[in-house]
Amino acid sequence: DTGVSQNPRHKITKRGQNVTFRCDPISEHNRLYWYRQTLGQGPEFLTYFQNEAQLEKSRLLSDRFSAERPKGSFSTLEIQRTEQGDSAMYLCASSLGGVRSYEQYFGPGTRLTVT
Amino acid sequence: DAKTTQPPSMDCAEGRAANLPCNHSTISGNEYVYWYRQIHSQGPQYIIHGLKNNETNEMASLIITEDRKSSTLILPHATLRDTAVYYCIATNAGGTSYGKLTFGQGTILTVHP
């Protein structure tokens, strides 16, 4: 399977703990995106990378959130000092560049539950 | 991005065509219309996009009105596996765009046997 993969699929953590999620994009895609989705809502954009450079961050991405994409391959999203409001599905997507950047391939997501 | 308006839910009988409308009356000349769907417990899936001409691929057809203020996604022979939330997104896909997708609430399509 050469699609986008995300790990873990589920994460349960206690409030105040740090968590890290991983996304492996489609290998030839130079763009990688993170979205967050809460129950009953559409996904919300968090941030995106072109190769290893993080080029845009949403206001939703507070200082407790950090994302990296070393060497322009996989990406990690870390949440420090988790809060109950961080409970959501975290989706990763990848795409080619240019006008193809809107044809995104999504992973299955990581569901985070903060207790 | 132009605001899009979709009905919250629709039903369709299996084997029949599903026609999902989207209103984007404030769309500008360089904004494309994209459709995605999200099957329960999965990530969104790209379906199709268009600017002003009608488009067709192996999944669906996209009909855009001449004034571009609305569009319809057509699933010609809906199956139970097409039950999903369908999102219509209007966005500028040209120039130095970076691919930020702005999802609304979408339309929950339920295909019945």
Side-chain angles (χ1 to χ4, degrees), chain A residues 9 31 33 35 37 40-43 45 48 56 91 98-99 101-104 106-108, chain B residues 34 36 38 41-44 46 49 87 91-94 97-101 103-105:
Chain A
R9 294 291 308 277
R31 295 200 175 190
Y33 313 83
Y35 293 83
Q37 185 174 27
Q41 303 297 315
F45 171 82
Y48 104 102
E56 181 73 17
L91 293 160
V99 295
S101 63
Y102 290 90
E103 298 172 37
Q104 297 177 15
F106 282 78
Chain B
Y34 283 79
Y36 277 76
Q38 188 171 23
S41 297
Q42 297 183 20
Y46 165 79
H49 75 277
Y87 297 100
T91 190
N92 183 349
S97 59
Y98 54 76
K100 172 184 174 182
L101 290 170
F103 292 85
Q105 300 276 68

Side-chain angles (χ1 to χ4, degrees), chain A residues 52-112:
Chain A
E52 67 275 9
Q54 186 175 17
L55 299 186
E56 181 73 17
K57 291 171 62 173
S58 164
R59 289 175 298 169
L60 294 173
L61 217 62
S62 75
D63 291 345
R64 298 184 295 105
F65 288 70
S66 63
E68 295 182 342
R69 192 184 182 196
K71 303 179 183 179
S73 56
F74 70 92
S75 175
T76 58
L77 178 68
E78 180 183 16
I79 309 174
Q80 297 181 326
R81 305 181 303 280
T82 53
E83 301 173 356
Q84 287 189 321
D86 297 330
S87 294
M89 176 75 84
Y90 289 84
L91 293 160
C92 175
S94 69
S95 75
L96 297 171
V99 295
R100 301 294 300 274
S101 63
Y102 290 90
E103 298 172 37
Q104 297 177 15
Y105 292 78
F106 282 78
T110 295
R111 180 165 296 284
L112 173 66

Side-chain angles (χ1 to χ4, degrees), chain B residues 21-51:
Chain B
C22 179
N23 181 285
H24 32 79
S25 58
T26 61
I27 196 169
S28 62
N30 58 357
E31 287 186 308
Y32 286 71
V33 179
Y34 283 79
W35 283 83
Y36 277 76
R37 74 178 181 183
Q38 188 171 23
I39 295 169
H40 183 61
S41 297
Q42 297 183 20
Q45 177 188 23
Y46 165 79
I47 301 173
I48 198 168
H49 75 277
L51 182 62

Side-chain angles (χ1 to χ4, degrees), chain B residues 96-113:
Chain B
T96 58
S97 59
Y98 54 76
K100 172 184 174 182
L101 290 170
T102 303
F103 292 85
Q105 300 276 68
T107 295
I108 301 172
L109 174 68
T110 303
V111 181
H112 297 284

Side-chain angles (χ1 to χ4, degrees), chain B residues 56-113:
Chain B
T56 295
N57 63 19
E58 65 278 4
M59 289 183 68
S61 295
L62 174 60
I63 307 298
I64 303 174
T65 58
E66 192 169 343
D67 63 8
R68 302 206 329 116
K69 292 185 177 182
S70 66
S71 61
T72 301
L73 179 75
I74 301 172
L75 308 178
H77 305 287
T79 71
L80 298 179
R81 290 176 295 178
D82 292 321
T83 293
V85 181
Y86 287 77
Y87 297 100
C88 169
I89 301 168
T91 190
N92 183 349
T96 58
S97 59
Y98 54 76
K100 172 184 174 182
L101 290 170
T102 303
F103 292 85
Q105 300 276 68
T107 295
I108 301 172
L109 174 68
T110 303
V111 181
H112 297 284

